[in-house]
Amino acid sequence: MLIKRPDDIEASEITEERDYWDRRRFIGATAAAGVALAAAAVPSVLVACNRAASGSERRTSEDDELTPYDDVTSYNNFYEFGTGKDDPKKRAHMLRTRPWTVVVEGEVHRPGTFDIDELWSRFPPEERIYCLRCVEAWSMVIPWLGFPLKDLLGAVEPTSHAKFVEFTTLHDPEQMPGQRRDVLPWPYVEGLRLDEAMHPLTLMAVGLYGEELPNQNGAPIRLIVPWKYGFKSVKSIVRIRLTRTQPATTWNFVLPREYGFYANVNPEVDHPRWSQARERRIGHLFKRPTLPFNGYAEQVAGLYDGMDLGRYY
Ligand code: MTE
């Protein structure tokens, strides 16, 4: 349990702040996974988005600087709490994240309802630094805590008919005031192809910066697909359904010309209203070139062999 609310935290206080949250539960979970959490050091776990490039494209370690906690938790897209970037931080305290369950159902042999605390202990979170790149051409580098989605899917045993995975956000206008307005069809839904969902880079995030997810970042559990645009990273998930056919996804349903089902980060495929060739790292002055698949081409490009990525954007 957090003693301080994120609203009260200055960016300069982050290291100190870590001493306040419930280390007992977190350390218990991460120790089981063999994860060492150095309080002040920037953790060097897995690949960050800029590290995957090679040769002339290779970036300096300076480019891998973490985005300050304050920016990560105060500049958000979470339309359930308003369409302004600062609305989620102001309003997301209205969301109750305990008790919380995630139903996993559909084309699986062992459907189940998982309590969020059971997920924490069954799938101990590990820390991974992933870049979240928004389709609006800004990005952040964030130390997420989470577990691979494939571990959860493995536990429910997909049938041979399962081809896609659909994710659904909580629908509760009482707790989520943005859902009282028709800005989007509610609840927010997203989808992946099963092989994308089973890829080891695909994460169910339950925390960031060594603490539980702040509500505005999608507490208590959200998706992170590091090679896709941020809108695929559906927040506050209550249902995961394995399906035979491609599920509808919120932004593709609302604006199909602008947002495709795949949404792979691709500097060569422009958004109809702006270029995707460059991005602005939050807190940095100059734009930088966007990397194909957000820097993970080596690991994930094979998933799309033979596909026209201009058509399947
Ligand atoms: N999930 C829900 N339920 N509602 C949303 O409005 N916005 C998406 C995604 N997940 C959104 C969502 C978009 S557009 C982005 S860029 C990321 O969340 C932003 O995640 P962040 O606030 O942690 O940076």
Side-chain angles (χ1 to χ4, degrees), residues 11-298:
S12 57
E13 285 187 76
I14 293 309
T15 304
E16 253 178 68
E17 186 270 343
R18 289 179 176 186
D19 294 329
Y20 285 93
W21 50 270
D22 184 350
R23 284 176 169 274
R24 191 168 41 91
R25 181 164 92 179
F26 176 67
I27 287 176
T30 52
V35 177
L37 273 182
V42 173
S44 56
V45 189
L46 299 185
V47 274
C49 58
N50 287 330
R51 295 208 186 116
S54 59
S56 60
E57 271 188 342
R58 195 177 174 85
R59 313 294 182 82
T60 66
S61 56
E62 210 174 293
D63 287 321
D64 292 332
E65 224 176 77
L66 298 182
T67 303
Y69 178 94
D70 210 30
D71 291 335
V72 173
T73 58
S74 62
Y75 190 84
N76 301 102
N77 275 342
F78 200 173
Y79 279 26
E80 284 82 343
F81 296 101
T83 53
K85 297 280 182 255
D86 54 352
D87 290 336
K89 182 175 174 179
K90 279 192 250 159
R91 301 200 183 128
H93 61 88
M94 297 171 77
L95 178 66
R96 292 184 300 273
T97 59
R98 293 293 190 286
W100 191 281
T101 53
V102 181
V103 175
V104 189
E105 60 181 11
E107 287 293 346
V108 295
H109 292 296
R110 297 164 64 87
T113 299
F114 298 84
D115 183 82
I116 186 67
D117 293 314
E118 181 193 346
L119 288 174
W120 271 84
S121 53
R122 210 163 144 189
F123 306 106
E126 44 189 87
E127 188 161 56
R128 294 185 180 191
I129 301 171
Y130 281 162
C131 169
L132 186 105
R133 187 185 188 283
C134 195
V135 75
E136 295 153 334
W138 50 265
S139 63
M140 304 195 196
V141 181
I142 301 168
W144 299 101
L145 291 175
F147 60 88
L149 172 60
K150 73 176 174 54
D151 293 353
L152 176 57
L153 297 183
V156 296
E157 298 175 16
T159 71
S160 58
H161 299 297
K163 299 285 180 286
F164 293 89
V165 186
E166 179 194 67
F167 304 84
T168 307
T169 293
L170 176 72
H171 186 205
D172 184 350
E174 201 185 298
Q175 296 185 64
M176 295 177 142
Q179 289 179 338
R180 296 175 208 156
R181 297 172 52 217
D182 290 336
V183 283
L184 289 177
W186 308 109
Y188 194 100
V189 283
E190 255 309 333
L192 295 174
R193 231 170 44 191
L194 185 62
D195 57 346
E196 298 175 321
M198 295 295 278
H199 194 282
L201 289 173
T202 302
L203 201 69
M204 295 306 295
V206 294
L208 56 79
Y209 262 108
E211 66 172 45
E212 287 191 45
L213 274 180
N215 285 3
Q216 60 268 38
N217 292 89
I221 187 162
R222 69 175 288 175
L223 183 67
I224 298 290
V225 194
W227 69 95
K228 292 181 182 281
Y229 290 113
F231 67 87
K232 298 299 282 185
S233 302
V234 44
K235 296 173 168 181
S236 304
I237 295 168
V238 291
R239 189 164 65 245
I240 298 175
R241 197 161 61 91
L242 285 84
T243 62
R244 294 178 182 220
T245 52
Q246 184 175 302
T249 64
T250 294
W251 284 104
N252 180 241
F253 179 78
V254 176
L255 290 167
R257 274 194 63 245
E258 302 195 11
Y259 306 103
F261 175 81
Y262 283 93
N264 292 317
V265 173
N266 191 340
E268 285 165 20
V269 176
D270 288 339
H271 183 278
R273 288 182 282 141
W274 55 79
S275 162
Q276 296 286 18
R278 297 174 72 74
E279 69 194 65
R280 189 173 69 83
R281 183 67 48 81
I282 296 292
H284 291 232
L285 195 56
F286 299 109
K287 284 196 168 185
R288 63 187 66 214
T290 296
L291 297 175
F293 296 106
N294 219 12
Y296 295 100
E298 207 178 299

